[in-house]
Amino acid sequence: MGALSPLDPSSFSRPEQAIIRHISLNLNVDFEKHVLHGHAKLDVDVLEDINSLILDASNLKISSIEADDGSKLQYKLGEHIPNMGSKLTILLPKQHIAGEKLKIKITYTTDPQASALQWLDPEQTSGKKHPYLFSQCQPIHARSILPCQDTPAVKFTYDAEVTAPEEFTVLMSALRGEARSNRTTFRQPMPLPSYLVAIAVGVLESRTLGPRSRVWSEKEEIERSAWEFAETEKYLQAAEKLCGPYEWSEYDLLVLPPSFPYGGMENPCLTFVTPTLLAGDRSQADVIVHEIMHSWTGNLVTNRNFEHFWLNEGFTVFLERKVGASLINDSVEAKRSRDFQSLLGLQELSEAVSVFGASSPLTNLVVDLNGIHPDDAFSRVPYEKGSLFLRYLEDQVGGPEVFDDFLRAYLTKFRKKSLDTEQFKAFLLEYFKDNQAIKQVDWDSWLHKSGMPPIIPDYDTTMTKAISALLVKIDDSNASLSYEDVANFTPHQMIHMLQQLIDRPALPLERLAALGKEYKVNGNKNTEILYRWLRLCIRSRDDTKLQDVFHFVNSQGRMKYVRPVYRDLYAWEDVRARAIDNFLKNEKYMMHVSAYTLRKDLHLDEKTKNTE
Ligand SMILES: CC/C=C\C/C=C\C[C@@H](O)/C=C/C=C/C=C\[C@@H](O)CCCC(=O)O
Ligand SMILES: [Zn+2]
């Protein structure tokens, strides 16, 4: 398949030879053909003497490649490796030496099946009248919408000019310039990795949330969205208090149609979120805080490749919980709440480890992605094991008073850069060189051993005590359940309780029905609660709830919910065939990454396609 980058097992490009510094995009959005068509002009710094420039591309139809003077350049597009794309080698007419600058213009069209793009028919939108387009480039799908060095080791600035039919709004992960008739311009003056290039095109409305924020959505969701995310500026200010100034100027939110596969995606200047966050109680604000924290960890300081994904996600979860706690005035309550969220995370980590198996190398903090697509390695492990490791380090060196300063020093040192775990370790050891406790850290176990972390912090369990007591009551078949039992629970305590039940032996059907009714979880509007309730129903083999289960997986595409539900259905032999059938019928409405991962969860191969 041609040599891969020595810096990144998921890229063909060779940024150590020549590196992209800026990209100018000029694209037309064609809703008829489901393609983007136009050109990308690349500004490249030559770092070593080269005769060719190697890029990543996936199913791009290239019509021409030109040098700065307009002369045509020869190129070779390697064979298409499924899920990896092709190596694009641009042959330079003469040798270019280190220090030179190159300008290259590539004219191309994307494939209608581009893995980064989802083209929605009007019926898949809330308004039902207009089509919609959105992208998801993380981890390595940017190559399906632009030829680039598709590795987070490379950061570039970009500008764009996008044309789309007149009634549509075009948004990108950048500062929006003028929008005149059918043409919108953008500029992103901060360097970012390719996986943070993003585009969305739909008939949208917006509401102001704060001095630097707006929320965008279709008109059907706009009022609910404006209410749900009204506290965005408060979160931004709390984040800045911990991490320093927000450097991306604007922080907007875009509420996508239900098929968006993630809770949120930290596209700079414009976080993409799932509409499942619209719980009507602001209880999923932690997702917004999480995405805001990526403005520092992930977007400003970036993992060098996805083997070090924990540097993005572990740090972000760690900061999310610190900032979440800082929003609580009472310091004792704040600590309790932070530890409670961490305990919830520990449950999720434990489930992720058991899905892969405790000896799976994919449960290591640092993974080996040679021959493995990052989408196949994705789980809660880098999020929760990573955050837990940082919490352990924080406790070890003397607590937040000491560690918060380290965090700011780390963000300053690696600002606008990409790094790997060894660089993080070296920086931390140098920073704490006079701190004896740091010498006790068993780096090898934390970073390179599989399974649960070697040490679990001594979390405050005050907020879980009531839950543990309630679980004893639920187990006692003589005790009757009533809403009083949970009336004082926060949504997160409810979630924690349901998650504990998922991890225990299935409830008898009668007990399950009483719990669903009395605790008002059956049909709950909060998807975090509903998701766990439906899993409990599957665990108890309650076939009267199957219609609700299928409705849930068909009405939204957040993989955090859909994948475990399908895995549970697969494990229920009597409904396995029905689950597969339901998936095949709905696959065409899913984004590439959802269909790709669900096929694996359901043990389907490419041949099993619904041809209806
Ligand atoms: C060790 C893992 C190695 C590689 C994984 C790298 C990328 C994984 C890829 O599948 C992309 C992930 C994108 C995630 C975007 C947002 C998430 O943080 C959302 C979390 C889940 C949710 O809340 O719905
Ligand atoms: Zn994240």
Side-chain angles (χ1 to χ4, degrees):
M1 76 174 168
L4 289 165
S5 161
L7 296 175
D8 186 343
S10 312
S11 172
F12 293 106
S13 69
R14 303 297 301 268
E16 75 285 6
Q17 298 177 345
I19 187 163
I20 296 173
R21 299 295 190 197
H22 183 83
I23 299 184
S24 276
L25 289 168
N26 190 310
L27 294 172
N28 175 54
V29 181
D30 188 336
F31 277 113
E32 299 281 304
K33 296 193 175 120
H34 286 187
V35 297
L36 300 177
H37 169 72
H39 63 249
K41 286 183 183 165
L42 314 182
D43 289 357
V44 179
D45 281 1
V46 178
L47 304 177
E48 288 175 5
D49 299 355
I50 50 166
N51 293 308
S52 62
L53 175 70
I54 300 168
L55 303 176
D56 295 296
S58 180
N59 289 321
L60 298 179
K61 206 188 292 159
I62 294 175
S63 32
S64 73
I65 302 186
E66 292 162 43
D68 201 20
D69 60 5
S71 62
K72 293 266 186 283
L73 296 176
Q74 300 295 309
Y75 60 90
K76 285 191 290 205
L77 197 53
E79 62 166 321
H80 178 86
I81 311 296
N83 310 309
M84 264 297 282
S86 321
K87 178 177 181 173
L88 171 61
T89 307
I90 303 173
L91 306 168
L92 303 169
K94 65 173 180 83
Q95 191 181 53
H96 287 265
I97 56 166
E100 280 187 55
K101 291 186 184 301
L102 291 175
K103 277 186 190 291
I104 295 201
K105 177 178 170 188
I106 305 173
T107 304
Y108 67 97
T109 307
T110 59
D111 190 87
Q113 306 301 328
S115 63
L117 298 178
Q118 189 169 19
W119 298 89
L120 300 179
D121 292 335
E123 308 77 66
Q124 291 171 269
T125 66
S126 299
K128 314 271 178 230
K129 285 202 185 100
H130 304 281
Y132 198 117
L133 165 69
F134 66 81
S135 68
Q136 168 60 35
C137 285
Q138 192 176 33
I140 58 168
H141 301 289
R143 63 193 67 178
S144 73
I145 54 175
L146 76 157
C148 62
Q149 292 172 318
D150 198 6
T151 165
V154 175
K155 288 186 169 183
F156 53 85
T157 52
Y158 80 86
D159 61 70
E161 187 177 315
V162 183
T163 51
E166 217 159 302
E167 63 272 45
F168 287 78
T169 298
V170 182
L171 300 174
M172 291 191 82
S173 53
L175 303 172
R176 198 156 171 259
E178 57 179 25
R180 214 176 286 156
S181 67
N182 61 351
R183 174 182 155 282
T184 314
T185 60
F186 298 89
R187 66 185 177 88
Q188 180 46 272
M190 294 282 286
L192 48 66
S194 53
Y195 76 81
L196 291 176
V197 173
I199 184 166
V201 188
V203 175
L204 303 174
E205 293 211 358
S206 73
R207 292 284 181 278
T208 299
L209 294 176
R212 47 189 156 175
S213 302
R214 279 201 274 183
V215 61
W216 298 86
S217 75
E218 285 189 81
K219 79 168 182 305
E220 288 74 10
E221 282 79 38
I222 197 68
E223 300 307 339
R224 283 195 299 147
S225 302
W227 186 86
E228 199 81 35
F229 307 128
E231 298 192 325
T232 298
E233 178 59 24
K234 187 170 101 183
Y235 310 148
L236 280 164
Q237 288 183 16
E240 286 182 307
K241 227 169 156 184
L242 180 64
C243 297
Y246 176 76
E247 295 206 48
W248 303 83
S249 306
E250 292 173 8
Y251 182 83
D252 283 3
L253 290 161
L254 170 65
V255 180
L256 286 132
S259 61
F260 186 63
Y262 295 108
M265 178 64 212
E266 63 269 22
N267 297 315
C269 305
L270 181 73
T271 285
F272 283 19
V273 292
T274 161
T276 65
L277 299 191
L278 303 175
D281 57 7
R282 294 187 187 152
S283 63
Q284 296 202 50
D286 48 349
V287 177
I288 303 302
V289 176
H290 179 93
E291 303 312 327
I292 287 175
M293 301 326 295
H294 270 307
S295 309
W296 288 268
T297 47
N299 298 4
L300 200 60
V301 175
T302 309
N303 52 209
R304 197 190 70 187
N305 63 41
F306 290 107
E307 295 182 327
H308 306 276
F309 190 50
W310 82 272
L311 290 175
N312 278 15
E313 295 299 348
F315 264 95
T316 301
V317 170
F318 181 73
L319 294 178
E320 163 204 330
R321 294 196 180 133
K322 265 177 176 293
V323 167
S326 79
L327 293 164
I328 299 170
N329 287 329
D330 181 301
S331 63
V332 177
E333 283 300 316
K335 185 179 178 322
R336 278 182 189 159
S337 162
R338 182 184 176 203
D339 283 10
F340 176 68
Q341 295 295 339
S342 305
L343 284 164
L344 198 50
L346 193 58
Q347 285 180 323
E348 293 185 22
L349 175 61
S350 158
E351 173 156 15
V353 167
S354 63
V355 168
F356 277 135
S359 59
S360 165
L362 291 180
T363 62
N364 295 9
L365 212 42
V366 181
V367 293
D368 178 357
L369 291 180
N370 279 287
I372 298 177
H373 193 285
D375 279 337
D376 290 325
F378 182 71
S379 75
R380 287 308 290 176
V381 171
Y383 293 74
E384 295 299 343
K385 199 174 183 179
S387 158
L388 200 149
F389 181 40
L390 292 167
R391 170 62 184 266
Y392 161 73
L393 290 172
E394 180 183 75
D395 289 348
Q396 197 73 6
V397 298
E401 296 74 25
V402 187
F403 204 66
D404 286 0
D405 285 339
F406 162 76
L407 286 172
R408 285 184 281 268
Y410 167 76
L411 294 172
T412 306
K413 165 82 179 166
F414 294 104
R415 177 180 168 270
K416 298 191 181 178
K417 295 196 173 68
S418 306
L419 81 160
D420 63 21
T421 304
E422 282 307 309
Q423 287 168 280
F424 158 74
K425 179 179 166 187
F427 181 73
L428 181 122
L429 289 177
E430 173 60 25
Y431 186 92
F432 287 114
K433 60 177 181 294
D434 300 324
N435 188 319
Q436 292 311 308
I438 205 73
K439 303 199 168 59
Q440 286 152 26
V441 177
D442 177 359
W443 289 91
D444 189 49
S445 293
W446 279 102
L447 300 177
H448 305 296
K449 295 270 158 65
S450 65
M452 293 299 280
I455 295 168
I456 309 286
D458 192 13
Y459 293 126
D460 182 313
T461 54
T462 311
M463 287 180 75
T464 54
K465 288 215 169 82
I467 298 166
S468 308
L470 183 56
L471 290 170
V472 173
K473 181 172 180 183
I474 293 170
D475 279 344
D476 176 1
S477 52
N478 294 318
S480 57
L481 308 180
S482 83
Y483 186 64
E484 289 297 294
D485 300 344
V486 293
N488 293 326
F489 275 17
T490 63
H492 280 102
Q493 279 176 307
M494 204 68 189
I495 292 164
H496 195 103
M497 192 266 292
L498 295 171
Q499 187 64 43
Q500 296 257 38
L501 287 171
I502 291 173
D503 295 337
R504 292 149 65 99
L507 286 170
L509 282 174
E510 234 175 84
R511 199 64 171 164
L512 179 85
L515 186 145
K517 179 167 171 278
E518 297 299 331
Y519 295 175
K520 302 185 181 165
V521 290
N522 185 16
N524 201 288
K525 293 275 172 292
N526 183 322
T527 48
E528 287 289 320
I529 291 175
L530 182 62
Y531 152 69
R532 288 173 175 85
W533 160 246
L534 292 174
R535 288 190 74 192
L536 280 179
C537 294
I538 300 173
R539 290 284 159 108
S540 296
R541 304 293 185 246
D542 183 352
D543 52 18
T544 66
K545 291 290 182 304
L546 279 173
Q547 215 180 335
D548 294 355
V549 171
F550 287 119
H551 176 73
F552 182 70
V553 294
N554 295 343
S555 58
Q556 53 74 40
R558 187 173 178 185
M559 290 198 291
K560 173 186 178 179
Y561 302 146
V562 174
R563 292 189 67 190
V565 169
Y566 265 114
R567 284 198 293 257
D568 289 352
L569 289 172
Y570 187 87
W572 183 356
E573 277 184 42
D574 291 347
V575 301
R576 184 179 292 170
R578 203 171 145 191
I580 291 173
D581 187 52
N582 183 71
F583 164 77
L584 291 173
K585 282 201 179 104
N586 287 283
E587 185 179 16
K588 57 179 178 289
Y589 305 119
M590 293 177 188
M591 196 170 194
H592 165 88
V593 64
S594 309
Y596 171 79
T597 47
L598 282 169
R599 280 193 160 267
K600 301 211 168 180
D601 294 332
L602 293 170
H603 307 270
L604 296 171
D605 61 26
E606 269 305 295
K607 282 173 273 174
T608 348
K609 284 261 182 208
N610 191 334
T611 46
E612 265 174 39

